[in-house]
């Protein structure tokens, strides 16, 4: 599962086009740290995040750069903190419930059982990510939290109108995948579900808690899935038979059957994108690209488009060529 400003905008009912979804994989999550020299600072203070040169690409980060290069810089290089949102956190909760439901025997994978998993998964999420508890800090009576959990229940319940989990036996759930291309570019991400037919055909499935995109935006919505298909193809030498997006917000299922030519086009696009990222990293030239999605961005205070100033660039900058 990957989360983005687009996903949050969808869940908030903005009508914004759900382009390539942008959260890095577990292996890439969490900022690098550097130890303070002896005697420096307060020993009780946490390690200070350190900027790193980008070393891999996920669908989230690719989507960030295509949406706004400066957003990519803020997230990947500056590692600026972002507040949790109700929409993105609800998506994380629903994904956890759908993943855990498959622990039960097929006959017990029912809507009531799935909804019963929500309180426990919410408690687990608060334990692993204490910051999400701040979402309802100003809700002493729990009324807003109850409504939010009710929305999660409705999304989980709708899933049963789209798929029958009693007839599914996923080969993988929340699968971390990583592949290195011949160019040296490493691609990585997390696939919500992988189904493998008895004949060996592979289906990649992703759950979305927002609404399905309009037809003119379908290609953007499929970018993440084609990215995963490319990684699987490079790892296993098998082209997935089907890519499937399950939209719980609107009750739609979007499918696409890729071919090798599709994946080769995606690979060329990612290589060009990576060249642009490397150039921006070396020169420090990260241009903001304002869109209506800016309204959901946590970093407007640092963005020149909103009168802000980015933090000092934390990486060496290559001098401009003379002559």
């Amino acid at each position: 599962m990957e989360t983005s400003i687009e996903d949050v905008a969808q869940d908030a009912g903005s009508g914004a086009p759900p382009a390539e979804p942008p959260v890095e994989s577990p292996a890439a999550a969490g900022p690098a740290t550097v130890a303070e020299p002896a005697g420096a600072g307060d020993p009780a203070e946490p390690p200070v995040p350190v900027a790193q040169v980008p070393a891999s690409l996920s669908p989230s980060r690719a989507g960030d750069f295509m949406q706004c290069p400066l957003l990519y810089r803020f997230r990947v290089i500056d590692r600026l903190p972002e507040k949790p949102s109700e929409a993105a956190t609800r998506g994380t909760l629903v994904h956890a419930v759908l993943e855990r439901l498959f622990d039960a025997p097929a006959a017990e994978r029912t809507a009531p059982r799935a909804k019963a998993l929500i309180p426990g998964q919410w408690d687990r999420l608060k334990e692993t990510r204490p910051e999400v508890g701040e979402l309802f800090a100003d809700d002493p009576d729990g009324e807003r939290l109850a409504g939010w959990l009710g929305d999660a229940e409705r999304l989980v319940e709708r899933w049963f109108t789209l798929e029958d989990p009693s007839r599914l036996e996923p080969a993988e759930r929340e699968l971390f995948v990583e592949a290195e291309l011949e160019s040296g570019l490493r691609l990585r991400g997390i696939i919500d579900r992988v189904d493998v037919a008895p004949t060996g055909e592979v289906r990649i499935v992703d759950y979305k808690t927002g609404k399905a995109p309009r037809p003119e935006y379908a290609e953007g919505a499929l970018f993440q899935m084609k990215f995963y298909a490319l990684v699987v193809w490079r790892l296993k030498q098998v082209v997935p038979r089907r890519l499937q997006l399950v939209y719980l917000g609107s009750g739609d299922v979007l499918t696409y059957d890729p071919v090798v030519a599709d994946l080769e086009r995606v690979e060329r696009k990612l290589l060009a994108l990576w060249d642009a990222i490397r150039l921006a990293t070396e020169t420090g030239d990260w241009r903001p690209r304002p869109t209506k999605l800016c309204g959901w961005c946590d970093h407007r205070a640092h963005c020149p488009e909103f009168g802000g100033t980015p933090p000092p660039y934390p990486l060496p900058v290559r001098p401009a060529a003379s002559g």
Side-chain angles (χ1 to χ4, degrees):
M1 170 198 172
E2 305 224 349
T3 305
S4 69
I5 289 176
E6 289 92 338
D7 295 333
V8 172
Q10 271 190 283
D11 284 353
S14 71
E20 299 79 38
V23 168
E24 204 64 75
S25 65
T33 59
V34 62
E36 291 280 354
D42 184 347
E45 292 180 354
V48 179
V50 176
Q52 291 184 329
V53 175
S56 63
L57 198 59
S58 73
S60 294
R61 302 293 77 90
D64 286 346
F65 189 84
M66 288 187 287
Q67 176 187 317
C68 174
L70 187 59
L71 173 63
Y72 178 97
R73 179 201 146 171
F74 287 157
R75 283 180 164 169
V76 176
I77 294 178
D78 297 297
R79 295 175 180 257
L80 298 182
E82 297 183 355
K83 295 180 181 179
S85 72
E86 290 188 20
T89 304
R90 181 171 51 238
T92 301
L93 174 60
V94 170
H95 276 74
V97 168
L98 299 188
E99 180 191 3
R100 292 274 66 86
L101 182 65
F102 284 104
D103 291 340
E108 298 177 20
R109 297 171 195 161
T110 63
R113 183 183 183 103
K115 290 192 290 184
L117 291 172
I118 290 177
Q121 290 302 312
W122 172 230
D123 289 340
R124 182 174 177 272
L125 184 58
K126 288 186 291 183
E127 289 176 5
T128 57
R129 293 176 53 192
E131 68 274 12
V132 302
E134 301 172 8
L135 289 170
F136 302 100
D138 59 349
D139 182 36
D141 297 330
E143 183 176 349
R144 192 157 55 84
L145 173 61
W148 182 82
L149 291 171
D151 289 339
E153 285 190 2
R154 284 185 283 276
L155 291 170
V156 167
E157 198 166 30
R158 181 170 287 149
W159 178 55
F160 286 82
T161 69
L162 305 174
E163 296 190 287
D164 182 358
S166 68
R167 302 180 64 180
L168 297 170
E169 291 297 341
E172 301 286 353
R173 291 173 276 157
E174 293 295 316
L175 175 66
F176 172 67
V177 291
E178 182 176 42
E180 184 170 320
L181 305 181
E182 290 183 2
S183 66
L185 171 59
R186 280 190 294 131
L187 304 178
R188 51 174 44 172
I190 303 173
I191 301 174
D192 288 345
R193 197 179 86 218
V194 178
D195 300 333
V196 180
T199 54
E201 294 176 316
V202 174
R203 176 172 64 183
I204 295 177
V205 181
D206 195 73
Y207 310 119
K208 299 295 183 187
T209 50
K211 297 179 180 179
R214 296 193 298 270
E216 60 266 35
Y217 297 119
E219 182 61 29
L222 284 168
F223 172 82
Q224 174 188 13
M225 305 302 285
K226 292 182 180 181
F227 184 109
Y228 291 148
L230 171 62
V231 175
V232 170
W233 178 44
R234 288 307 188 196
L235 280 175
K236 306 292 186 181
Q237 302 304 308
V238 173
V239 176
R241 173 69 179 83
R242 173 152 294 181
L243 310 178
Q244 181 167 303
L245 284 162
V246 181
Y247 287 94
L248 306 177
S250 57
D252 295 296
V253 176
L254 177 62
T255 62
Y256 183 80
D257 297 341
V259 296
V260 169
D262 290 330
L263 306 187
E264 290 175 337
R265 280 192 293 271
V266 172
E267 183 168 346
R268 289 194 295 270
K269 179 176 182 177
L270 291 174
L271 291 174
L273 189 67
W274 190 243
D275 284 342
I277 290 172
R278 288 194 297 184
L279 179 61
T281 302
E282 293 171 359
T283 62
D285 186 8
W286 301 90
R287 306 288 177 89
R289 185 177 298 148
T291 69
K292 58 185 175 182
L293 295 174
C294 292
W296 281 269
C297 184
D298 280 339
H299 307 304
R300 284 174 290 177
H302 296 287
C303 180
E305 293 293 326
F306 294 89
T309 302
Y313 192 55
L315 296 175
V317 174
R318 184 184 68 187
S322 60

